[in-house]
Amino acid sequence: MGPVPERILKKRKVATEVKKGKKTLLSARKRAIKTLRLRALKRAERYNSEYVREQKRNINLKRQAKSTGSIYVPAEPKLAFVIRIRGINGVSPRVKKILQLLRLRQIHNGVFVRLNAAVVKMLRLVEPYIAYGYPNLKTVRELIYKRGFAKLKGQRVAIDNNFVVSNAMKKYNIICVEDLIHEIYTVGPKFKQANSFLWPFQLSSPKGGFKSITKHFIEGGDAGNREKYVNSLIRRMN
């Protein structure tokens, strides 16, 4: 049997190096996934403890107020979820501009907003075209896990693993989905960046339909501020 041609030997050497490189990359990725999973788990446990403490604190304050015959007034909400429920044919340019600023370009789009005087004024100006209220932790978590998409280089990318969040948001110390949920729900210092990272939510038509999109919520319709009752509407649309 004659000697193996040099061309074949080079080809085998290249194939071996490529295989070795792939194996090294795979091992490195596995280590990175394991490390990120452990860090995400620790943060999730810390956040859960924080949520439980806050819940207990509110319960104790209500009990104290009741025992002294006074009324417990919770803090003003800092977070709202806004859903566009109507089209804008024939409306003023001002209304169109506000809906664009809120990133509500399509019917059944939904977004989180930080509540301040300027935002509240904007919401009141477009109340006939939106439904909004104050989401609880369960609602925020369900929206992001089920309907969450990231805006990456102008592309809509599903948030189906922690690396999607970590690669884009680690410079803000947001490395996992639970970090993102915590920053949104608590309206943290990096809320603006976290909210901009999220693509506007594309919700479904509500199960059972709307009552009346032309009437305000307090008149038996669907438009306007529904406070805590927005949670039930979101679940019907999620």
Side-chain angles (χ1 to χ4, degrees):
M1 188 174 179
V4 179
E6 187 178 348
R7 177 174 57 83
I8 302 297
L9 289 173
K10 284 183 178 179
K11 192 173 181 181
R12 287 178 181 174
K13 185 179 178 181
V14 170
T16 302
E17 288 176 353
V18 169
K19 188 176 180 181
K20 187 178 178 181
K22 285 183 178 179
K23 192 174 181 181
T24 303
L25 286 173
L26 187 61
S27 298
R29 180 168 175 79
K30 284 182 177 179
R31 286 195 300 272
I33 289 172
K34 186 177 180 181
T35 301
L36 185 58
R37 187 186 295 126
L38 289 172
R39 291 178 68 190
L41 183 62
K42 287 180 180 178
R43 292 192 179 200
E45 289 173 348
R46 188 173 82 239
Y47 295 147
N48 188 56
S49 299
E50 181 183 319
Y51 301 143
V52 170
R53 280 198 307 272
E54 184 64 21
Q55 189 178 23
K56 286 181 178 178
R57 177 178 168 276
N58 287 333
I59 290 170
N60 289 334
L61 287 172
K62 286 179 183 177
R63 286 174 178 170
Q64 288 174 15
K66 189 176 180 181
S67 65
T68 57
S70 57
I71 298 173
Y72 170 65
V73 180
E76 287 289 320
K78 298 183 290 182
L79 177 71
F81 189 75
V82 188
I83 307 165
R84 181 172 155 186
I85 60 173
R86 284 179 66 185
I88 53 172
N89 287 338
V91 302
S92 68
R94 188 182 191 186
V95 169
K96 289 182 180 179
K97 184 63 177 177
I98 291 172
L99 290 173
Q100 286 177 5
L101 289 172
L102 292 171
R103 300 191 297 159
L104 298 173
R105 296 180 179 275
Q106 297 176 333
I107 296 174
H108 299 161
N109 274 178
V111 293
F112 293 109
V113 296
R114 185 206 306 259
L115 289 174
N116 54 40
V119 170
V120 169
K121 186 177 180 181
M122 282 169 43
L123 293 177
R124 286 176 180 163
L125 287 170
V126 295
E127 267 196 351
Y129 306 93
I130 60 172
Y132 67 100
Y134 317 131
N136 56 30
L137 176 61
K138 183 181 179 183
T139 297
V140 174
R141 182 173 276 136
E142 287 178 350
L143 276 169
I144 292 176
Y145 272 114
K146 186 175 179 180
R147 300 266 181 179
F149 282 81
K151 186 178 181 181
L152 299 175
K153 297 178 181 178
Q155 300 295 312
R156 186 170 179 260
V157 179
I159 303 175
D160 52 7
N161 63 74
N162 288 326
F163 274 106
V164 174
V165 179
S166 179
N167 290 340
M169 302 294 288
K170 60 186 174 185
K171 60 185 173 183
Y172 304 117
N173 196 28
I174 298 173
I175 63 165
C176 61
V177 179
E178 284 297 327
D179 279 346
L180 189 62
I181 291 168
H182 182 263
E183 196 67 24
I184 294 293
Y185 178 65
T186 61
V187 191
K190 300 300 179 184
F191 173 84
K192 182 179 178 181
Q193 291 83 354
N195 199 31
S196 297
F197 170 73
L198 289 170
W199 196 279
F201 294 88
Q202 295 183 355
L203 304 177
S204 303
S205 298
K207 293 176 183 175
F210 287 115
K211 293 179 182 177
S212 174
I213 59 173
T214 58
K215 288 184 180 179
H216 197 283
F217 180 67
I218 59 176
E219 298 172 339
D222 292 291
N225 188 2
R226 47 205 302 142
E227 299 183 354
K228 65 180 182 180
Y229 299 105
V230 77
N231 293 288
S232 58
L233 174 63
I234 293 170
R235 289 196 179 89
R236 286 167 52 212
M237 300 180 75
N238 196 1

